[in-house]
Amino acid sequence: MNEAVIVCDRLGVTLGGMKVLDGLSMTVYKGDFLAVLGPNGGGKTTLLRVILGLEQPSSGTVTVFGARPGHAPGRIGYVPQRLFFDRDFPISVEEVVLMGRLPRRRLIQRYGRIDRDRAHEAIETVGLARLKHKRIGTLSGGELQRALIARALAGEPELLLLDEPTASVDPDMKTTVYDLLDRLKERHTIVLVTHDTGTVGHSVSRVACLNCTLDMHGPASSLGTASLERVYGHPVEVVLHEHERHDSKPDDLHA
Amino acid sequence: MPDFLHFEFMRNALVAALLSSIACGIIGSYVVVRRIGSISGGIAHTAFGGIGLGYYLGVNPLFGVIPFSLIAAIGIGLLTRKAKVAEDTAIGAFWATGMAVGVILIGLTPGYAPNLFSYLFGNILTVPVSDLRLILLLDILIGGLVWLFSKEFLAVSFDEEFARVSGLRTVLLDLLMLSLIALTVVIMVRVVGIVMVIALLTMPAAVARMFSRTLHGMMALAVLLSVLFNFAGLWLSWVFDVASGATVILVAAMVFLASGAATALAGRRRH
C-alpha cells in the first residue's frame, strides 16, 4: 500500500455558523493526482485551507504527512486561487518565486545561493525565465498562475495543493498549465480543486466530487462514475461524494 | 555656504531632516504597500497622550511618545488580529483615547505648556542636539531590524497567507512592523508633528512606488524624496517665513499630486 499523504476522517468545518464541509472522508496517497471537483461555494477552497492549517476543523480529523495540518510547511507547495495582491506592488517575478524558499530558511536567515538556484530552476520549469525580472503586476493571468506554481515548486515540496489553477487563465493557456501539471505529477503528489470540469484533462489519476448535485446516496455509485467518464472521456475513479444539499435537484437528474 | 546655513539651528534642522528621512522612507514604503496608512495615523494621534505625559512629568515629551505609540501599535494590532475588532473601530478608539489622555494631562500640568504647538504641527528649527541623538539611535534600531527581517517583512507584505502557510509567525511579525511604525512616529513628531506624520510617512513612498521595481529600490527612492521634500520645504519656509513642517507637507503634496496626475495622463494616452 502506498504511503498516505493526507487523511481526512469525517471532517466537518463550520465557518461563521455555516456548515461548509460535513462528514468528509478521503485519503490521498503518495503519487496521486487528485482533482476535487465541485461548484463554487462547495467547500473546495475550505478543504485546502484545512489541509494547510489555515482553518480548523469543527469535527473529525485531518492529518497531513502523519501530523496535524500546519506542521510540515516545507513539504507542501501551495498555489492559491488568485493572488489577492496589489498589481502595483514593487516586486519581481524572481523575488516572488524566491518566497517559496521561506520554509527552508530560519527566521532572519538570508536567502543563499541554493535558494536562488532552486528559484531559477522553478522559473525554468514553468517557462518564465524570460520574464523573471518583470514586475509581478505586469504578468498576464496565465503567466501569473505559472509564477505562483514556480513559487510553490521552489520550496521542493512533495505535495502540491492548487486552488482553481485555471480560473483566471485564457482558454489556450489552460492547456499550458495542465501540460505543466502533467509533467509535475511524475515527482509530486498533486491535489487540485476546480469547478471547471472541462479542463481537468487526462492527467488526473483520481477525481473526487465535493458538494456535487449528482445523487450518490445509492448503494453503488456506478451512475456517477459513468457520467464522469462521459465528461472526461476516460475511466475515472470516484473516491468521494459529499452531500449538503438534500433538495430536489439530485432527483431531477435521476429523472 | 548659503546664508541660512550660518545658523546652528538651521544645520541641526538639516541633520534632523536627513535622519528622519531614513526611517520615514523605509517604514513609509511598508505603510504604502501594505495600505496601513490609517493605522499609522492612529498610532501617531494616540501618541499625543505621551506628549501630555511628558509635560505632566516634566520630562522630554518624546520619552512619553515612545511608550504611547508602542502601546497603540501593539494594542491596535492585537485587537484587530486576535480579538477580531474591526480595524477602523480599533484605530478610532486608540486615536481618541490617546488624545483625551493628552488633553487631561496637559490640563493637569500647572502653568502654560510651552511648545505644545510644535509637537502637534512640528518645528524642525527647534530640534535640540539631544533629540538628534535619540533620532539617530532610533534610525539605527529601525534600519537594523528591517535589515534582519527583510525577507519576512517582504513576505507578509506581499502575501500574508502564503507567509503563514510557509511557517512564519505572521501576527508577531505584524506587531513588530507596527512597533517600527510607532518608533518612526516618534522620530517624525519633531519634524512635522503628530497631525501631519501620516502625510510625510506616505507621500514620498507613494511617489517612489511609481518608479520602483523592487521594494528596496522603493525604500531608497522614498528616503531620497523625503530628504528633498524636507530640504525644499525648509528653504521655502525660510524664504517666506512660514511654518516649516506645514511647508514640507505642502511640497510633498504638490509632487505627489503632480506625479499622480502625470501617471493618470500617461495611462490615458496608452489606452
Side-chain angles (χ1 to χ4, degrees):
Chain A
M1 187 79 146
N2 253 334
E3 183 193 336
V5 176
I6 305 170
V7 182
C8 300
D9 184 25
R10 282 159 290 158
L11 170 67
V13 178
T14 308
L15 291 176
M18 275 264 293
K19 249 187 192 174
V20 183
L21 294 174
D22 192 15
L24 185 155
S25 295
M26 68 165 194
T27 305
V28 176
Y29 295 99
K30 193 170 179 197
D32 273 352
F33 183 170
L34 170 70
V36 180
L37 300 177
N40 283 325
K44 303 185 303 294
T45 298
T46 307
L47 176 62
L48 287 191
R49 291 177 64 84
V50 170
I51 293 168
L52 286 162
L54 291 169
E55 303 286 355
Q56 296 305 315
S58 45
S59 62
T61 58
V62 187
T63 56
V64 184
F65 292 111
R68 279 195 301 128
H71 285 259
R75 303 176 76 176
I76 302 174
Y78 172 47
V79 184
Q81 174 169 6
R82 192 166 7 116
L83 185 56
F84 179 72
F85 80 115
D86 181 358
R87 290 216 151 241
D88 289 331
F89 200 107
I91 188 169
S92 67
V93 172
E94 192 177 16
E95 283 179 293
V96 172
V97 174
L98 204 48
M99 271 180 208
R101 299 295 298 175
L102 276 172
R104 305 268 163 196
R105 286 284 158 259
R106 288 192 306 275
L107 202 66
I108 78 172
Q109 191 184 19
R110 309 192 90 68
Y111 296 122
R113 162 56 70 68
I114 186 155
D115 300 311
R116 275 167 234 288
D117 288 350
R118 291 291 172 273
H120 287 154
E121 284 166 26
I123 291 172
E124 294 279 349
T125 304
V126 302
L128 284 183
R130 205 168 39 83
L131 302 173
K132 67 180 177 192
H133 296 303
K134 280 252 190 182
R135 198 154 84 169
I136 193 85
T138 62
L139 298 191
S140 72
E143 289 163 350
L144 178 62
Q145 197 61 51
R146 284 186 285 154
L148 296 182
I149 293 173
R151 178 175 70 169
L153 291 176
E156 302 171 272
E158 296 156 56
L159 169 66
L160 271 179
L161 301 174
L162 299 104
D163 193 351
E164 301 276 8
T166 53
S168 51
V169 174
D170 300 332
D172 39 326
M173 289 302 293
K174 283 184 185 175
T175 327
T176 318
V177 171
Y178 279 109
D179 284 349
L180 173 60
L181 292 179
D182 203 33
R183 277 185 281 137
L184 294 176
K185 73 176 180 186
E186 307 297 327
R187 287 168 55 192
H188 300 84
T189 305
I190 303 178
V191 176
L192 82 85
V193 308
T194 182
H195 71 279
D196 193 358
T197 48
T199 49
V200 173
H202 316 287
S203 16
V204 297
S205 62
R206 304 167 80 199
V207 174
C209 210
L210 193 57
N211 189 23
C212 64
T213 52
L214 285 164
D215 185 1
M216 300 300 293
H217 278 304
S221 39
S222 56
L223 169 72
T225 314
S227 58
L228 278 170
E229 282 178 12
R230 230 178 296 126
V231 171
Y232 297 112
H234 66 102
V236 291
E237 177 194 358
V238 177
V239 294
L240 161 76
H241 276 277
E242 197 264 339
H243 302 272
E244 265 188 86
R245 297 186 189 169
H246 298 287
D247 52 20
S248 58
K249 257 189 175 165
D251 297 323
D252 293 347
L253 281 163
H254 269 305
Chain B
M1 193 149 70
D3 59 345
F4 65 89
L5 283 184
H6 287 296
F7 299 96
E8 195 199 343
F9 66 85
M10 211 32 149
R11 290 200 295 274
N12 283 354
L14 292 178
V15 173
L18 266 175
L19 290 178
S20 66
S21 292
I22 295 172
C24 169
I26 294 172
I27 298 300
S29 295
Y30 286 125
V31 170
V32 167
V33 296
R34 297 201 70 184
R35 303 179 182 205
I36 48 177
S38 44
I39 295 189
S40 314
I43 293 171
H45 283 79
T46 310
F48 187 67
I51 288 169
L53 185 68
Y55 277 117
Y56 184 71
L57 297 177
V59 298
N60 184 345
L62 285 193
F63 292 119
V65 170
I66 293 175
F68 264 76
S69 61
L70 282 175
I71 288 168
I74 290 168
I76 295 172
L78 283 179
L79 273 183
T80 52
R81 281 156 185 79
K82 287 290 180 192
K84 306 281 179 224
V85 173
E87 193 169 271
D88 56 341
T89 310
I91 293 168
F94 270 89
W95 182 310
T97 308
M99 303 233 40
V101 169
V103 168
I104 299 237
L105 286 175
I106 287 169
L108 288 175
T109 308
Y112 172 71
N115 300 325
L116 181 57
F117 206 71
S118 79
Y119 289 103
L120 282 174
F121 303 105
N123 190 350
I124 199 168
L125 298 174
T126 60
V127 182
V129 176
S130 59
D131 280 4
L132 288 181
R133 283 201 204 99
L134 177 67
I135 291 175
L136 178 65
L137 209 68
L138 290 175
D139 260 341
I140 293 168
L141 183 66
I142 291 167
L145 284 169
V146 166
W147 185 80
L148 278 179
F149 288 96
S150 59
K151 114 176 163 303
E152 286 80 9
F153 281 166
L154 180 64
V156 294
S157 301
F158 180 66
D159 189 348
E160 179 155 5
E161 188 178 270
F162 189 84
R164 197 140 55 101
V165 167
S166 303
L168 289 186
R169 314 262 315 254
T170 53
V171 174
L172 282 181
L173 285 166
D174 265 356
L175 292 180
L176 178 62
M177 191 185 282
L178 290 174
S179 301
L180 293 184
I181 294 173
L183 294 180
T184 307
V185 165
V186 176
I187 290 179
M188 315 254 304
V189 161
R190 269 299 187 187
V191 182
V192 285
I194 278 172
V195 178
M196 297 186 286
V197 160
I198 183 171
L200 199 53
L201 202 53
T202 51
M203 286 193 289
V207 175
R209 183 171 63 171
M210 298 176 197
F211 307 98
S212 309
R213 272 196 310 182
T214 67
L215 188 59
H216 285 138
M218 175 177 170
M219 288 173 173
L221 188 55
V223 169
L224 193 72
L225 285 169
S226 175
V227 170
L228 283 177
F229 296 161
N230 270 291
F231 282 12
L234 208 52
W235 179 72
L236 287 171
S237 74
W238 171 266
V239 170
F240 295 105
D241 192 23
V242 287
S244 58
T247 314
V248 170
I249 296 295
L250 287 183
V251 169
M254 274 190 286
V255 175
F256 174 63
L257 290 177
S259 56
T263 312
L265 282 177
R268 187 186 260 180
R269 217 173 295 138
R270 264 203 304 276
H271 289 295

